[in-house]
Amino acid sequence: MIQETKIVELGHVISGKRIYKGKIIPVFNKYTKELIANVYSADEQTVKAAIDNSVETFKNKKLSAKDRYDILSKAAQIVSCEKNELALSITKEVGKSLKDSLTEIDRAIDTFTIAAEESKRIFGEGIPLPNKFTDEKKMAYTVRVPVGVIAAITPFNLPFTLAVHKIAPAIAAGNVVILKPAEAAPITVMRLVEILEEAGLPKGFINVINGYGHEAGEYLLKDERINMYTFTGSVGVGNHIKNSVGIRKVTLELGSNAPNIIHKDAYNLEQVAKLCATRGLATANGQACISVQRLYVHSEIFNEFKDFLVDAASTLVVGNPEDPNTDIGPLISERQAERVENWVKEAVEDGAKVLIGGERDGAIFKPTILTNLKPSMKVMCEEIFGPVISLVEYDDIDEVIKEANDSKFGLQAGLFTSDLNLVMRASMELEYGGVIVNDVSTYRSDWQPYGGIKDSGLGKEGPIYAIREMTDEKAIIINYQ
Ligand code: NAD
């Protein structure tokens, strides 16, 4: 029996109501290319209506810490019960493997759970104010107050968990949220909104406007009643948001081209090579901001490591992402796969050697490892955002740390070594928001502060740290006799 694919209609959410208005953007299954949804792109009037409602909600309604804890905990439970359905929905709209989508859902559950716990402890601090010149008797304390209306603008590659990373801490801290999901993958996140409603989030605490970034997203930037923007996406759009919103608060989680250094004393090279292949080529099909991209390997172990890496890459299963055995599916669009192909071709024309892969089949780009590279090649200095690893041999650890730092990006770096002194030194010298020792740059725990320096961003995520960003620390100073 042929099963007909149901085409879903996705509108905007304002005060709990679904509004189907605006241009229609078709959303396709990235592997089968079937039409799976029509999403409406919000016009200026709809965006204004969403902002009006969010401002009203923040002014007139409050959730207690207990309410916030209950809602976020309940949302974690519902997500947990629907894990398989949610993962399948992500796989269809993004094209990444089912295993990868399941990992994404696990992270969303953790993020909700941590945010729920943190909603109980939005604390300030006490500061005595002794002044030796005037002998003043003053005491200060601080309280953390919600910033107000937060616009959360999210990307396609982890469409569910990266939205949870913004919504959960925003609610935990007592804010209201306007979500603008990525137009290429807006389906699963709309179920997230329903889940929050089922978990007891009252109307207006989350409003959603769907649509094109340059229209729906842009209208959000113009309205000064929005108190904060939390954005995950490309450097270009992040920069544009920062330049557009003036003095209002911004956090930016942007791109990178993560370096990973495998020193000569790293242990279990075969394991390390497998980890690099999986987390550089298969995680989100290489479309992860902390993907292993530049891989620097010490000359004493280079050949052995290279063979392990190529072997590991050759075992990755490429194909239908809904098949539980698949590791790598299509990229978000054929246009993006063509871009990756062009960057690889350019590198080859400039002397790079393809150890494995290099071919494209529609939107699928085969897992690729390149060597004989120059720092000026795009595959080395830009964010590839596809399943491509650039493998580089080095002799001198100090030189390679300099090379790793010689980048406009600074999100996370990986270092493998058994030398404690090198761990301590390199982790301080690597100019990155996070340094992962004896694991790859692609590691992210939802408990850690996460965020980049340089062009990789501004501010931190991870519910504990995002709550700090999403609150203002207000000082209260008391004079006593
Ligand atoms: P993108 O920048 O193209 O889009 C991200 C979001 O911004 C989308 O919702 C889009 O509609 C919106 N947008 C686009 N133009 C806008 C405008 N003018 N005003 C307001 N909103 C606008 O990014 P993408 O292609 O969806 O995602 C890939 C990028 O995201 C990569 O660079 C990747 O490194 C980055 N990323 C970073 C992290 C991190 O945590 N640092 C995580 C995931 C992805």
Side-chain angles (χ1 to χ4, degrees), residues 125 131 351 438 446:
E125 60 185 347
N131 183 326
N438 291 329
D446 300 307

Side-chain angles (χ1 to χ4, degrees), residues 250-263:
V250 179
T251 59
L252 303 171
E253 300 293 340
L254 310 177
S256 193
N257 69 353
N260 284 261
I261 299 170
I262 321 292
H263 200 46

